[in-house]
Amino acid sequence: MNLSIAGAFSRTPGARSIEEGPFSGEAFRRDVLAPAVRRARERGEALVVDLDGTAGYGTSFLREAFGGLVRHDEIPADALGRLLVLKSEEEPYLIQDIASYMNDAGPDARGERWR
Amino acid sequence: MSALASAAKYGIALGAGFLLGKTVADVPYFALEREVDLFGGWTLLLTAVISIILFRPFEKAKYSDQLRKNAVMGRLEECLALIRLLEELCARQEFALPEATGLVKRARRTFISFVGFAGNLGHPVDVRLQDRTVVSYARLRDLLTEQPFPDEPDPPLLVRPLNGVPFVTLSKDRRIQVELLLDETRETLYLVQQNVILTTR
């Protein structure tokens, strides 16, 4: 399964939370990313997330969007590591950044909602 | 008209040369040798030809090296221009978050592209300077866009929506941190520039 942030959400990602403005990390996670992760899991496929094509990402957008999968949606970081494939030719360094945000969010998430 | 002017200039130079030669020949002190020394003439001609053949590659190499350096400096100037734009952004009371993320992305990508370009033209950037600059850009993104937790007192960065766009306001301390980091990054780029100037292939 493929997901392009620029195509499916916005070319100008915003701040962290919904109340801070449009195209927030929270809105992306809630409306686009988390549902896509669940669909990929149901199909037994990897979800390839393309980070290219946007004007750039704020740190808090990425933390909320990806770290939030662990913190809010309680998806264990190791499960995400198996399910999510991050892709970027424009900013390959983002892949490592996002991995660290997911690990920082709580590698020990119980994942009760995930099971 | 310019062809006529060039022809006139050459004509005058030739005429002046002829007159000078005749004047020198007429001075009693000088005796003009009317026999031609073939061996001497060939030696002179051969020396001139060999000099041209030997030195042409050196001249060409020096010219090519200068062209390469100018090209590398031009790309480095793009990196420095983005630092200036980031300084202008930081100097404002508030700025649009997408503008900040866009500038940081461009600055980082321009530098990475510059490193590849400089390396291909024989002016590789010192790895320590590369790492230092890349880390600076990563830190810059955090300083300009990483929001504190909502209940944090005296937040260094605030975001609020304005006309449908998230706008960032930096605290005075945060602004100073950003300015210092931009100064450091610029100094690192100047070191890179210095290395390019001092390196010859």
Side-chain angles (χ1 to χ4, degrees):
Chain A
M1 267 181 69
N2 294 309
L3 170 67
S4 159
I5 298 180
F9 184 64
S10 173
R11 290 189 179 276
T12 54
R16 178 171 56 205
S17 310
I18 288 170
E19 61 263 21
E20 286 159 347
F23 309 122
S24 64
E26 185 184 0
F28 172 65
R29 176 180 49 76
R30 185 191 67 183
D31 302 336
V32 180
L33 184 60
V37 165
R38 289 197 178 85
R39 272 199 305 275
R41 188 203 181 201
E42 282 160 16
R43 291 184 199 177
E45 292 175 16
L47 175 65
V48 179
V49 179
D50 187 350
L51 302 165
D52 289 344
T54 71
Y57 297 97
T59 302
S60 288
F61 176 95
L62 295 173
R63 279 196 186 276
E64 181 59 32
F66 292 92
L69 288 173
V70 177
R71 242 188 334 271
H72 295 284
D73 296 281
E74 294 189 351
I75 303 173
D78 57 344
L80 278 173
R82 289 190 298 272
L83 201 53
L84 271 184
V85 174
L86 299 170
K87 189 177 99 163
S88 180
E89 287 180 17
E90 290 173 4
E91 300 182 274
Y93 43 83
L94 284 180
I95 294 168
Q96 200 175 345
D97 289 350
I98 290 170
S100 72
Y101 300 152
M102 291 192 291
N103 287 331
D104 288 350
D108 301 324
R110 286 171 305 169
E112 284 176 0
R113 283 203 273 165
W114 182 245
R115 290 191 200 105
Chain B
M1 190 64 189
S2 66
L4 198 63
S6 293
K9 270 191 255 177
Y10 283 124
I12 291 167
L14 270 171
F18 177 77
L19 277 172
L20 186 67
K22 193 126 182 21
T23 309
V24 167
D26 287 343
V27 169
Y29 185 77
F30 296 110
L32 192 64
E33 178 62 64
R34 299 208 184 264
E35 286 179 2
V36 175
D37 174 13
L38 272 178
F39 180 73
W42 275 115
T43 307
L44 195 66
L45 187 66
L46 206 60
T47 308
V49 167
I50 289 172
S51 302
I52 291 168
I53 292 171
L54 279 179
F55 282 103
R56 188 171 269 187
F58 289 113
E59 283 301 310
K60 207 172 164 186
K62 194 171 138 192
Y63 180 64
S64 293
D65 192 47
Q66 194 56 51
L67 280 178
R68 269 191 291 272
K69 276 189 189 175
N70 289 347
V72 170
M73 295 294 225
R75 292 291 285 263
L76 184 60
E77 180 50 40
E78 290 173 14
C79 299
L80 288 164
L82 284 160
I83 297 286
R84 284 192 286 273
L85 286 176
L86 281 162
E87 283 174 334
E88 284 168 20
L89 179 100
C90 178
R92 290 188 235 149
Q93 286 286 96
E94 44 181 26
F95 51 84
L97 180 60
E99 190 183 352
T101 58
L103 268 178
V104 174
K105 177 179 174 175
R106 274 176 63 197
R108 209 162 167 175
R109 288 190 66 206
T110 303
F111 178 72
I112 291 168
S113 168
F114 159 75
V115 167
F117 182 79
N120 288 341
L121 290 191
H123 290 282
V125 178
D126 185 289
V127 171
R128 287 165 299 180
L129 295 179
Q130 281 185 50
D131 289 346
R132 204 192 298 179
T133 310
V134 163
V135 164
S136 291
Y137 287 130
R139 183 78 189 111
L140 204 54
R141 190 190 75 198
D142 289 344
L143 288 176
L144 288 172
T145 67
E146 185 163 27
Q147 296 163 244
F149 289 103
D151 51 358
E152 191 172 316
D154 297 325
L157 185 151
L158 280 173
V159 177
R160 61 187 181 98
L162 201 64
N163 299 327
V165 176
F167 265 73
V168 175
T169 309
L170 299 178
S171 69
K172 190 177 166 192
D173 284 349
R174 177 55 61 91
R175 200 174 304 132
I176 292 170
Q177 273 183 292
V178 172
E179 285 166 0
L180 283 172
L181 184 57
L182 288 170
D183 281 345
E184 278 172 30
T185 312
R186 191 182 24 249
E187 285 304 315
T188 307
L189 293 175
Y190 284 157
L191 280 174
V192 170
Q193 193 177 48
Q194 186 181 280
N195 283 355
V196 170
I197 292 169
L198 292 174
T199 310
T200 43
R201 290 188 73 203

